Amino acid sequence: MAELQETEGIVISVRNYRENDRLVKIFTSQYGKRMFFIKGSRKPNNKLKTAILPFTNATYIADIRETGLCFIRDAKDLIHLNHLHTDIFLNAYATYVLNLADVALEDGVPDPTLFHTIQQILNEIDEGTDPEILVNIFEVQLLPYFGVAPEWRGCRVCGKTTGPFDYSGSYGGLLCQNHWDLDQHRYHASPRAIHFLRLFSVISMDQLGTISLKPETKREIRTVLDLIYDESVGIKLKSKRFIDQMYNWGNLLLDKKNDEPDKNK
Ligand SMILES: [Zn+2]
C-alpha cells in the first residue's frame, strides 16, 4: 500500500493526457518539483478539477513516488489567484515566473525558500504590485540556479563597493570605473539600472511594495537582464517572448508624460 504524504504545492503547469486524464507539474514545498498523474480530471465532476488549475496553491494529499509519476488523492486549503486567470498581462508574467522556475529547478529537490519566494511573487502580482519589477527581482535572484552568480556587491577586480559600475559578461559581474577598460564589451549599462539590480539581488519580498520605477529605468534594467540571460543563462522561453511582445505594444502606447521619479525607500 502506498503511504500518503501531505504537502503544500503550487501548480506549475497542466497538460491533457489521454481522453480523461491530466499530467500536472506541481512544485511542492517538501518534495520539490514533481509530475502528478490525475486520473479522470477532465471529466466534469472530478473533485480535483479546481485543485489543479494553473497557479493554484493548495495542500495536497499525495502519493509521492521516487520514480515515475506521483498521484494526488485529495487537496485542501485551495488558494486561487483570480486576477492571474482573468488578466492577460498578469497571466503572462505569472506564467513566465513559473516557466523560469520550472527550468531552474531539478525534479524532486526540495527548496522551501524558493517555494516561499514564488508564493509571494504570485500573490504580489495578483494583488497589483508592478509585475515587471517582480519579474526582474525573480530573474536576478534566480541567476545562481543557472550557475551564474554575479558579484553584485562590488567590482569583480578590486572589490570597490561605491561609485559607478558597469556589468561585464566576461568578468561575470560588476566593474568599477577604474576597470572599465579591461572589457571593451562591457554592457555600457546605465548606472541607475545597475543600482537597482544590486538592490534586487538582496531585497526581501516583504519590501516589494516600496519600489516604484519610471518606465525608462525599467527599460534599462530589462536590457541588462536580457543581456545576462542571453549570454550567460542561454534560455529563451516562449512565455518571455510573449512578454517582450506585450512590452513592445506597451511602448507604442506609452504615455511619455510619465516622469515620476524612481523611489526605493
Ligand atoms: Zn575595480
Side-chain angles (χ1 to χ4, degrees):
M1 278 297 287
E3 212 178 304
L4 296 181
Q5 282 94 0
E6 200 171 300
T7 179
E8 211 181 343
I10 298 168
V11 177
I12 294 184
S13 65
V14 184
R15 68 185 152 97
N16 293 337
Y17 183 70
R18 301 198 299 220
E19 205 175 325
N20 292 318
D21 314 325
R22 285 194 173 94
L23 289 171
V24 182
K25 204 182 276 183
I26 298 178
F27 181 25
T28 70
S29 64
Q30 289 172 54
Y31 304 96
K33 183 179 76 172
R34 306 266 176 164
M35 186 68 91
F36 292 84
F37 175 67
I38 320 286
K39 193 170 169 55
S41 57
R42 296 176 69 191
K43 290 181 180 168
N45 294 324
N46 187 274
K47 68 169 182 173
L48 290 174
K49 222 174 158 68
T50 57
I52 56 169
L53 291 170
F55 317 120
T56 301
N57 189 131
T59 299
Y60 296 96
I61 292 96
D63 175 0
I64 307 278
R65 306 196 173 185
E66 283 317 312
T67 53
L69 296 167
C70 304
F71 303 89
I72 293 176
R73 300 286 178 239
D74 209 349
K76 58 182 181 181
D77 307 328
L78 272 59
I79 299 170
H80 290 117
L81 302 173
N82 291 325
H83 295 126
L84 305 188
H85 291 282
T86 54
D87 183 312
I88 184 176
F89 295 100
L90 300 187
N91 183 287
Y93 287 106
T95 302
Y96 174 53
V97 165
L98 292 182
N99 285 171
L100 206 55
D102 192 6
V103 180
L105 286 165
E106 275 184 60
D107 286 346
V109 180
D111 191 335
T113 308
L114 190 67
F115 180 84
H116 188 55
T117 300
I118 293 171
Q119 222 172 17
Q120 280 180 304
I121 288 185
L122 295 181
N123 280 330
E124 291 281 343
I125 296 177
D126 189 65
E127 283 169 14
T129 305
D130 188 332
E132 285 180 66
I133 297 175
L134 292 168
V135 160
N136 288 162
I137 292 170
F138 190 59
E139 288 169 318
V140 172
Q141 298 194 357
L142 212 56
L143 283 173
Y145 286 80
F146 297 109
V148 183
E151 179 56 81
W152 293 108
R153 277 173 301 184
C155 176
R156 201 71 173 150
V157 179
C158 68
K160 193 167 176 243
T161 57
T162 52
F165 293 101
D166 197 0
Y167 191 88
S168 160
S170 43
Y171 281 84
L174 303 179
L175 292 178
C176 76
Q177 206 164 2
N178 296 334
H179 291 112
W180 282 353
D181 54 358
L182 291 177
D183 180 12
Q184 56 171 324
H185 300 296
R186 65 191 169 86
Y187 286 6
H188 299 275
S190 87
R192 211 166 26 185
I194 299 288
H195 166 79
F196 283 102
L197 288 167
R198 295 176 79 199
L199 177 73
F200 291 174
S201 72
V202 292
I203 196 167
S204 97
M205 292 296 151
D206 307 322
Q207 301 168 275
L208 287 178
T210 62
I211 302 178
S212 79
L213 300 175
K214 53 184 179 179
E216 193 194 339
T217 308
K218 288 201 267 188
R219 261 196 302 277
E220 290 167 352
I221 293 170
R222 184 70 271 157
T223 304
V224 178
L225 276 171
D226 281 347
L227 276 168
I228 296 176
Y229 266 79
D230 287 349
E231 281 191 4
S232 305
V233 178
I235 55 165
K236 197 77 182 166
L237 299 170
K238 205 164 75 181
S239 50
K240 173 61 167 59
R241 278 202 293 271
F242 183 65
I243 290 176
D244 292 342
Q245 280 168 7
M246 293 195 319
Y247 206 67
N248 292 335
W249 305 331
N251 283 342
L252 291 175
L253 304 168
L254 192 64
D255 184 0
K256 298 289 183 197
K257 74 178 162 39
N258 187 344
D259 53 2
E260 281 288 300
D262 298 319
K263 288 194 289 269
N264 69 329
K265 283 281 172 295

